[in-house]
Amino acid sequence: MARILSTTTLFLLLLCLNQAIAQSKNEISLHRGVIQQAPKKVYKEAKGNKNEVQYLFSGLFLFYKTFFSSQDLTVCTFTPSCSEYGILTVKKYGVVMGGIRTMDRLTRCNGLSPMKYEIDVQAKLLIDKP
């Protein structure tokens, strides 16, 4: 019984201490503009699909880009990125040739042969247009 009473007292003491050191609304409003919100991502490659297959592949590439590729650091050596390249090639060449070209791009996605590509000076990335 004494253990429960001491645990409850400790919990209430910590709760009161937390409220005592919490920031006031004025302090919060002063710091609200310090952290900038990340700009909302707009994927222009996913627009302009002509049929359901392009919608499906654009959705798959965007799912990959949002949930898997974003977990890595931004170490892509090409512009556009591999997922953007996949969307663009499927739109331009169709599902079969676009898929083959995307797989070819994924095998080339390394920094071992930068002499074969032009360099985007602003982004400092290799240019590989579909």
Side-chain angles (χ1 to χ4, degrees), residues 3-59:
R3 179 176 254 174
I4 294 173
L5 184 61
S6 64
T7 305
T8 306
T9 307
L10 181 62
F11 177 73
L12 290 173
L13 180 65
L14 289 174
L15 187 64
C16 291
L17 181 64
N18 185 27
Q19 290 297 325
I21 62 172
Q23 292 179 336
S24 66
K25 288 184 180 181
N26 292 334
E27 291 173 328
I28 292 172
S29 65
L30 286 174
H31 295 83
R32 190 158 295 208
V34 173
I35 300 174
Q36 295 178 354
Q37 298 292 329
K40 193 171 186 179
K41 293 181 181 178
V42 177
Y43 298 114
K44 62 183 178 189
E45 296 84 14
K47 296 186 182 197
N49 294 323
K50 296 177 184 158
N51 55 33
E52 292 81 14
V53 175
Q54 287 184 354
Y55 276 109
L56 174 70
F57 279 93
S58 294

